[in-house]
Amino acid sequence: MNILVGLVIVIGSIIGGYVAMGGYMKVLWQPFELLIVGGAAFGTFVVANTFKTIKDTGRGIHEALVNAKPKKRDHLDTLSVLYGLMRTLRAKGRNDVEQIIDNPDDSELFQRFPRVLANISLTSFICDYFRLIIIGNVRPHEIEALMDEELHTLGREEMRPYQALSIVAETLPALGIVAAVLGIVKAMGAIDQEPEILGSLIGAALVGTFLGIFLSYGIVSPVAVKIKSIREQRYRLYIEVKQTLLAFMNGAAPQIALEHGRKTIGADDRPTIDEVEAETMNAGPVVSAAAGSEA
């Protein structure tokens, strides 16, 4: 909602100030100038990016519009899943954990926390590293190095929409000049016309420059920064998992390991120790389906 409010303020301030100065709205209505600037910007966006990045940018814009950053609930659920897996490994053993991570969609533990299960990338990240943990012959520093490499790759992929839109924002002012130059060329072709006609043609040309600068600094660039902010906060979920698992592998008890992960959460969304403890009480060791049937 805040991004929509901000855009309304930006557009309202510019248009309102222009009208207050005595400007005519009909002069700003230049659809062909908008076609030149907007169409060329979209074309450069398509040329510079893969189809996957284009789709991801669409998702990023939607995330920015709905402010889809992780909430406290997402962090609590992530910590609860980690606690359940760690407690199951301590209390039940490797076989029970393996049954969970091999098929998380059907596991009782992940089904308790659908917000984590819906995040396919995060679920895979958790399961992959628990799989390495239960192998038993991998050292913590080796796991940490592997995590760092994967997180570096993940962070680069998460930032692709931001980088793509930033490039578009950089090109828009220049494309606005292109539209203005084309408008001036058109005006020069009518140099023998009445001053009123010539003035309107020059005014239309200058609208191209206005559109390029306005779209760049007033819309595209702020949206790109918003996408970056949301993606960075989503990325913190993986850091949370990393720190928790490393502490667990180095011998920390599950509840202490969770504290290592909790400390990586930003102050605005960080749950208290009591909140984490209350949540994880419901995510203790999971009894496997096979064990349950034998009982």
Side-chain angles (χ1 to χ4, degrees):
M1 179 60 70
N2 62 330
I3 191 171
L4 295 177
V5 172
L7 290 176
V8 169
I9 294 173
V10 170
I11 296 172
S13 298
I14 293 173
I15 301 300
Y18 171 74
V19 173
M21 290 189 301
Y24 295 99
M25 286 296 297
K26 64 179 182 180
V27 178
L28 293 181
W29 177 243
Q30 302 294 338
F32 294 112
E33 294 285 329
L34 180 60
L35 174 63
I36 293 171
V37 177
F42 182 72
T44 57
F45 171 72
V46 172
V47 169
N49 298 284
T50 64
F51 184 66
K52 181 179 179 180
T53 301
I54 294 172
K55 290 177 61 178
D56 195 27
T57 302
R59 285 193 294 268
I61 293 173
H62 177 263
E63 292 167 1
L65 290 175
V66 300
N67 196 29
K69 67 175 185 177
K71 308 295 192 298
K72 181 185 290 189
R73 179 77 265 161
D74 296 284
H75 294 292
L76 285 171
D77 286 359
T78 301
L79 292 174
S80 295
V81 167
L82 294 173
Y83 181 79
L85 287 168
M86 291 186 293
R87 287 291 297 157
T88 301
L89 184 58
R90 285 281 181 93
K92 300 292 182 180
R94 298 179 181 179
N95 291 337
D96 291 74
V97 173
E98 192 171 10
Q99 291 182 27
I100 296 172
I101 62 178
D102 283 346
N103 194 6
D105 291 333
D106 296 330
S107 70
E108 178 189 348
L109 175 63
F110 277 93
Q111 287 178 353
R112 295 182 203 166
F113 306 101
R115 297 172 74 98
V116 177
L117 191 58
N119 191 334
I120 299 174
S121 177
L122 181 63
T123 298
S124 298
F125 187 82
I126 294 171
C127 293
D128 287 348
Y129 286 101
F130 261 100
R131 187 171 289 107
L132 291 177
I133 289 174
I134 64 178
I135 289 175
N137 60 352
V138 183
R139 298 175 182 177
H141 72 271
E142 295 174 337
I143 294 287
E144 183 176 10
L146 184 59
M147 282 183 171
D148 288 340
E149 187 63 31
E150 182 173 358
L151 288 172
H152 177 71
T153 302
L154 180 65
R156 186 171 62 247
E157 292 177 348
E158 287 282 291
M159 289 298 110
R160 282 177 182 171
Y162 162 71
Q163 294 168 351
L165 288 181
S166 294
I167 292 173
V168 173
E170 291 174 2
T171 61
L172 274 168
L175 293 175
I177 294 174
V178 170
V181 169
L182 292 175
I184 293 296
V185 170
K186 178 183 176 182
M188 291 299 100
I191 194 69
D192 58 340
Q193 299 295 319
E194 296 292 330
E196 292 81 4
I197 297 176
L198 189 60
S200 66
L201 292 175
I202 294 174
L206 293 176
V207 168
T209 304
F210 159 73
L211 286 173
I213 297 173
F214 167 67
L215 292 175
S216 173
Y217 297 107
I219 295 182
V220 178
S221 185
V223 171
V225 172
K226 183 67 174 181
I227 292 174
K228 180 182 179 182
S229 174
I230 290 175
R231 291 293 176 91
E232 285 178 342
Q233 291 181 68
R234 285 174 45 180
Y235 182 78
R236 298 305 302 177
L237 289 170
Y238 296 87
I239 302 297
E240 183 179 327
V241 172
K242 170 192 169 183
Q243 294 304 121
T244 300
L245 293 186
L246 288 177
F248 179 67
M249 291 186 68
N250 283 309
Q255 202 68 44
I256 301 301
L258 290 184
E259 187 62 13
H260 285 255
R262 189 185 74 87
K263 288 297 186 180
T264 67
I265 304 171
D268 292 340
D269 299 314
R270 182 189 301 164
T272 64
I273 296 178
D274 293 336
E275 287 176 324
V276 173
E277 184 175 355
E279 288 289 329
T280 53
M281 290 296 291
N282 297 321
V286 178
V287 179
S288 66
S293 61
E294 290 175 2

